[in-house]
Amino acid sequence: MDKRGTHMEQDAIASLMAFMVETPRLTVLTGAGISTASGIPDYRDDQGDWKRSPPMQHQVFMVSHAARQRYWARALVGFRTLNQAQPNAAHHALARLERQGSVAGIITQNVDGLHQRAGSRRVIDLHGRADVVRCMGCGATRPRQDLHDELGALNPQWLALGAHAAPDGDADLERDFSDFRVPACAGCSEGVWKPDVVFFGDSVPRHTVEEAFALLDESSGLLVVGSSLMVYSGYRFARRAARAGQPLACLNLGRTRADELFAVKVSASAEEGLAALAERLDVAPGAAAAP
């Protein structure tokens, strides 16, 4: 038995492979669990409970200058991990499965852009992208690294600080943030810079939801990878697929909000399961062919 077989039961791989063969051109919904092997921490444990304090709330960020000081000071340290992360075997496997024709597209709850960097072509960033910031006053955008360069120039004493990385470019850093300088938008003079992502308490843009629903509706089923689906913005796609009679499968370590909906559920890491799946489907008779 090869090394991969010692970690994941072969019948589990086979059940997921059979699902993929019988349900060609799936939509894949991914969550934080697909990026942990790239060094990006996740929010929840294998029971779907918070490992840490819940992340920044949209309304708090918008109304509190102190909250923004804390957010951007921690991000100046923590974003390095997110910015330097590389796609892992799971991201590459999904890109391979898309080229094979087994995957129609990806809806991701992640904001790291790793699916695109791995070569996936049809990716819907449900919660936006962390590498872009947007002025909440005039709507202007700029690369996030440009803002970090400005933050570093305004707060050079913070550049030497280190801390453990936290999810989505945050860092486990606690100190007095009151002297941290946060610039306003130069274009409109007073607009608040915010990562172009959906914070907790905010809503996914309607056009993004509609694009994701369209992808799901044209697919034959749904595969959930690395997500507990505890957040409704992801869970809604499992509900929609189930209501439409589409088969659902899941590759995830731990329980999810939609466990009762899955025809197949495999408990394994995303990179281990998807790499094995892509390899087997690549040689399987009758596997889907790329269009």
Side-chain angles (χ1 to χ4, degrees), residues 11-250:
D11 57 352
I13 305 173
S15 66
L16 195 54
M17 177 178 165
F19 178 87
M20 295 285 288
V21 171
E22 294 167 5
T23 319
R25 295 195 58 75
L26 287 164
T27 289
V28 179
L29 173 65
T30 66
I34 201 170
S35 293
T36 53
S38 295
I40 301 173
D42 56 2
Y43 286 107
R44 299 180 185 271
D45 61 21
D46 60 4
Q47 295 302 305
D49 297 322
W50 293 109
K51 291 180 178 180
R52 56 197 308 114
S53 299
M56 177 64 71
Q57 296 286 320
H58 175 81
Q59 195 61 27
V60 173
F61 184 90
M62 293 304 301
V63 303
S64 171
H65 179 68
R68 294 193 293 274
Q69 287 178 301
R70 182 178 185 274
Y71 179 89
W72 285 117
R74 289 165 60 112
L76 191 59
V77 177
F79 185 68
R80 301 164 191 163
T81 297
L82 188 67
N83 200 34
Q84 295 168 6
Q86 298 297 317
N88 63 56
H91 299 103
H92 289 295
L94 282 182
R96 182 176 173 184
L97 288 166
E98 184 185 31
R99 291 193 297 271
Q100 292 171 1
S102 299
V103 168
I106 298 168
I107 303 168
T108 185
Q109 297 172 278
N110 300 335
V111 296
D112 51 39
L114 293 180
H115 285 300
Q116 291 91 332
R117 290 171 60 187
S120 290
R121 292 167 292 185
R122 189 173 183 183
V123 181
I124 299 170
D125 295 300
L126 193 64
H127 295 155
R129 287 284 295 268
D131 55 358
V132 176
V133 293
R134 180 178 299 275
C135 172
M136 302 304 288
C138 67
T141 61
R142 64 191 290 198
R144 180 163 177 167
Q145 190 57 54
D146 285 357
L147 177 60
H148 279 250
D149 291 343
E150 186 177 359
L151 289 167
L154 290 171
N155 306 278
Q157 71 276 21
W158 290 76
L159 292 174
L161 296 178
H164 289 293
D168 293 341
D170 191 13
D172 289 326
L173 180 67
E174 292 299 343
R175 56 181 297 164
D176 181 3
F177 299 105
S178 61
D179 65 346
F180 191 84
R181 299 174 62 190
V182 180
C185 172
C188 65
S189 301
E190 57 184 30
V192 170
W193 286 114
K194 174 184 171 291
D196 199 18
V197 303
V198 178
F199 279 0
F200 276 70
D202 196 6
S203 299
V204 177
R206 183 177 180 83
H207 67 85
T208 303
V209 175
E210 291 176 348
E211 183 183 5
F213 279 156
L215 170 60
L216 181 60
D217 291 347
E218 70 184 56
S219 302
S220 56
L222 178 68
L223 172 63
V224 176
V225 178
S227 176
S228 65
L229 300 178
M230 293 300 172
V231 177
Y232 180 75
S233 64
Y235 176 60
R236 73 178 109 193
F237 297 104
R239 290 184 60 190
R240 186 181 181 97
R243 285 198 302 267
Q246 294 177 319
L248 292 86
C250 179

